[in-house]
Amino acid sequence: MSPSLGTVANLSLSEAADLIRTRELSSSDLVEACLERIGALDARLKAYISVYADEARHVAKALETMLVAGHRLGPLHGVPIALKDNIALRGKRTTAGSKILADWLPDEDATVAARLKSAGAIIIGKTNLHEFAWGGTTDNPHYGTCRNPWNPERFPAGSSGGSGVAVAARMCFGALGTDTGGSIRLPSAMNGIVGIRPTIGRVSNNGVVPLAWSMDTVGPMARTVRDCALLFNVVAGHDPHDDGSVLEATPDYTAGLDLGIRGMRLGVMPDYCFQHLQPAVLDAFRKALATLKDCGATIVDVQIDNIHGNIAAQLTVETCEPSTFHQRWLRERPEEYGEDVRRLLEVGEMMLATQYIQAQRYRKLLRQEFIQAFHLVDVFVCPTVPFTATPVGATTVVIENGVEEDMLSAIMQFTGVPSLTGLPSLAVPCGFDPDGLPIGMQLVGRPFDEATLFRVGAAFQSATDFRTHV
Amino acid sequence: MTDESPVNQETVRVLAAAAELRLASERAALIAPMLNIWMRQANELSEKMSAPEHWLLSPVTSFKVHRS
């Protein structure tokens, strides 16, 4: 008897891919399961900007025929995957969440989209995002406010909010997001899923609408660490079409997932990681550290002398670079932006060149300190976000002592550090607050050592059951 | 905003004119508070990075492999 669509939708990506390979499930089963979830939920959650129902069904049938004939395209053969709508897909509207690009039909696939297709993935749709990826709520004035599936009265974070929601709500088996200051890791944390920001240069940006060139990167989002690693195997690697792409070998990122973390040294910054957190986040983080210790890791206190200042640097770079990219449109079509993004772009026009370059110098300073600290530890651990999902419409957040803070600055407390340094970081679910909202933990690794992040994340998921909550 | 604020609405208008960014009059009031905070933070960072111990630090202009 075939499993119900609901049961199919709850499979992990790895499980679904295995069942396709053994022909116990068909690609059509997976597509129908996702489409049923989209039909039931997405009018409310607004995770998708475009859904390719008919095309996905046709591709699924074609992939089934190929499999019967002995042709398996790759590890994602027949698995529905979603793309953030700032990633180009040939002949498909790619809006970047904006009115300005509402009718853009790219001539070519982005490199990451082409790699997914080559590995057999079925692109089931394009997901909602904060307009032009410049913001952390996915409150999109043009395509609808994206909502958190754990509580639709809460934001899903952003800017890859649609990808986070689509994965968490079982409307796809995995998704790609983009991350400049936290846009993969923030919605991963807020929606209880896994997401990786790769080392800068590890994944191609070719065909991706930029936000801030010096910090932008693409990365996968999925429900388990194993799924995320499987997707990363497909998208990571050098691309001659991207000048920022690095010639560095890519290992099999699933190979070390079961090795455990006995003897591994995990660094925490005591004067930064335990400060300025909502109580539930602090509690979940402490418990996560205890779990990692139980798994055999050693927790090492490490001082990063110049950690403070990172939010100012992040905001300065992330203000100036987008305003450069948008300079013409801001002069010719300012009324076509949502108010929040328009204001951020206008502010970025007025920052000084010296401020921007000092921020770039700070990035080097911070990176040097982390590289030095990696002589003492293998991975850094911190919360992903200092608070849990905020109410829809909120622009401020209370973290401690009843003080309201600007959400955009507050949300980058931990995610800004890998963005500035270029280091890879993995967001993994590590608990829930008293309202049942997910909490995330962030692992930060050495350059190009994503494999160790996956290994630590997999060990943590093996020791906990947060991933099984629906 | 206090008198010590680095940015007020008039400053916004001047900066916009310098950048040849046409700005409707009401937008200066929307922009000034945010720009004021971010300028202040950026200036603090600039002061930090102007300290003698960092005088030889060059900005990051590329992202190459840093093996530890």
Side-chain angles (χ1 to χ4, degrees):
Chain A
M1 191 175 74
S2 297
S4 71
L5 293 179
T7 305
V8 172
N10 273 326
L11 294 169
S12 72
L13 187 159
S14 308
E15 291 167 339
D18 280 346
L19 291 170
I20 294 264
R21 183 174 51 79
T22 57
R23 293 169 60 187
E24 291 168 75
L25 271 182
S26 70
S27 308
S28 296
D29 292 332
L30 301 190
V31 167
E32 293 306 329
C34 292
L35 291 176
E36 184 185 68
R37 298 287 293 174
I38 292 168
L41 299 172
D42 208 42
R44 174 88 167 130
L45 298 181
K46 302 284 186 197
Y48 282 91
I49 290 177
S50 301
V51 177
Y52 312 129
D54 291 343
E55 182 175 314
R57 288 182 171 118
H58 288 309
V59 174
K61 288 291 180 200
L63 289 171
E64 286 165 19
T65 304
M66 289 178 71
L67 201 58
V68 169
H71 291 274
R72 182 169 176 263
L73 282 180
L76 302 178
H77 190 103
V79 180
I81 302 293
L83 295 183
K84 186 177 180 180
D85 203 25
N86 58 352
I87 299 173
L89 201 54
R90 184 165 58 89
K92 300 288 188 200
R93 188 169 79 128
T94 297
T95 69
S98 70
K99 186 176 179 183
I100 286 172
L101 291 179
D103 301 316
W104 182 42
L105 299 175
D107 294 327
E108 301 289 341
D109 285 334
T111 297
V112 289
R115 287 187 178 180
L116 288 175
K117 287 180 177 177
S118 297
I122 299 171
I123 308 301
I124 196 158
K126 304 285 288 298
T127 55
N128 201 355
L129 63 153
H130 208 108
E131 184 179 12
F132 282 116
W134 200 173
T137 64
T138 319
D139 191 4
N140 190 302
H142 313 294
Y143 303 97
T145 299
C146 192
R147 291 171 182 270
N148 194 310
W150 295 90
N151 178 349
E153 297 307 318
R154 302 279 176 152
F155 277 137
S159 66
S160 309
S163 292
V165 172
V167 170
R170 278 60 176 165
M171 294 191 276
C172 61
F173 287 87
L176 294 189
T178 62
D179 190 310
T180 302
S183 287
I184 287 172
R185 295 158 288 156
L186 301 171
S188 294
M190 296 292 195
N191 294 287
I193 63 166
V194 177
I196 188 162
R197 174 188 168 87
T199 311
I200 198 83
R202 173 62 101 183
V203 175
S204 171
N205 284 331
N206 176 53
V208 180
V209 178
L211 175 62
W213 296 285
S214 70
M215 294 192 293
D216 290 343
T217 182
V218 180
M221 302 164 78
R223 293 196 282 272
T224 70
V225 171
R226 181 171 294 279
D227 292 354
C228 198
L230 189 63
L231 282 167
F232 200 62
N233 271 351
V234 172
V235 297
H238 179 249
D239 175 17
H241 300 295
D242 177 0
D243 289 337
S245 175
V246 175
L247 265 173
E248 180 76 6
T250 51
D252 175 358
Y253 293 100
T254 61
L257 295 179
D258 299 323
L259 292 177
I261 56 172
R262 187 156 300 282
M264 203 174 276
R265 302 163 303 168
L266 305 182
V268 294
M269 296 170 277
D271 63 339
Y272 197 71
C273 295
F274 298 101
Q275 311 294 319
H276 195 243
L277 303 173
Q278 284 182 344
V281 177
L282 177 60
D283 184 49
F285 180 56
R286 285 192 193 283
K287 286 177 179 161
L289 290 177
T291 299
L292 290 165
K293 210 170 164 182
D294 289 344
C295 291
T298 305
I299 308 298
V300 181
D301 287 351
V302 181
Q303 180 83 22
I304 299 291
D305 290 339
N306 286 292
I307 189 76
H308 295 283
N310 77 82
I311 294 173
Q314 174 76 24
L315 288 173
T316 302
V317 175
E318 197 161 336
T319 305
C320 294
E321 293 188 21
S323 295
T324 310
F325 177 73
H326 286 269
Q327 206 156 33
R328 180 168 63 86
W329 288 333
L330 189 61
R331 280 154 180 74
E332 295 177 356
R333 307 163 72 174
E335 69 288 346
E336 294 183 39
Y337 290 99
E339 172 54 33
D340 64 332
V341 172
R342 179 179 176 180
R343 194 179 309 175
L344 288 165
L345 293 174
E346 288 168 339
V347 166
E349 290 263 356
M350 297 170 195
M351 300 293 284
L352 304 179
T354 47
Q355 292 168 333
Y356 172 77
I357 294 168
Q358 292 289 28
Q360 294 286 20
R361 294 178 73 233
Y362 172 80
R363 295 175 69 177
K364 185 165 180 180
L365 176 66
L366 191 63
R367 183 155 77 175
Q368 285 176 341
E369 291 188 357
F370 270 92
I371 296 298
Q372 195 63 31
F374 277 120
H375 292 296
L376 305 173
V377 300
D378 301 299
V379 168
F380 275 90
V381 192
C382 59
T384 308
V385 191
F387 51 90
T388 54
T390 52
V392 167
T395 57
T396 60
V397 60
V398 174
I399 295 175
E400 56 185 0
N401 304 324
V403 178
E404 275 194 28
E405 300 179 38
D406 172 60
M407 195 152 55
L408 188 59
S409 298
I411 208 167
M412 294 179 181
Q413 179 173 339
F414 299 108
T415 57
V417 170
S419 296
L420 289 166
T421 55
L423 298 170
S425 52
L426 181 74
V428 183
C430 74
F432 294 89
D433 76 2
D435 295 325
L437 296 168
I439 296 168
M441 168 179 74
Q442 179 176 244
L443 307 169
V444 183
R446 296 185 175 101
F448 302 101
D449 192 15
E450 290 87 354
T452 299
L453 299 183
F454 287 130
R455 183 175 157 190
V456 177
F460 185 76
Q461 285 206 319
S462 295
T464 57
D465 67 352
F466 303 121
R467 71 191 179 286
T468 63
H469 294 231
V470 179
Chain B
M1 275 180 286
T2 65
D3 289 344
E4 291 79 41
S5 302
V7 173
N8 55 32
Q9 291 182 41
E10 183 53 29
T11 324
V12 169
R13 281 188 274 271
V14 169
L15 289 168
E20 297 184 350
L21 176 67
R22 276 185 293 123
L23 217 54
S25 56
E26 71 275 11
R27 296 211 59 79
L30 295 170
I31 294 166
M34 181 183 282
L35 184 62
N36 187 51
I37 293 168
W38 291 16
M39 277 272 186
R40 191 192 300 272
Q41 291 175 346
N43 286 340
E44 286 170 8
L45 185 65
S46 293
E47 188 178 344
K48 176 194 192 80
M49 295 311 300
S50 299
E53 61 267 33
H54 303 317
W55 76 289
L56 282 176
L57 197 72
S58 61
V60 171
T61 53
S62 64
F63 291 84
K64 295 202 189 313
V65 181
H66 280 259
R67 288 277 183 224
S68 57

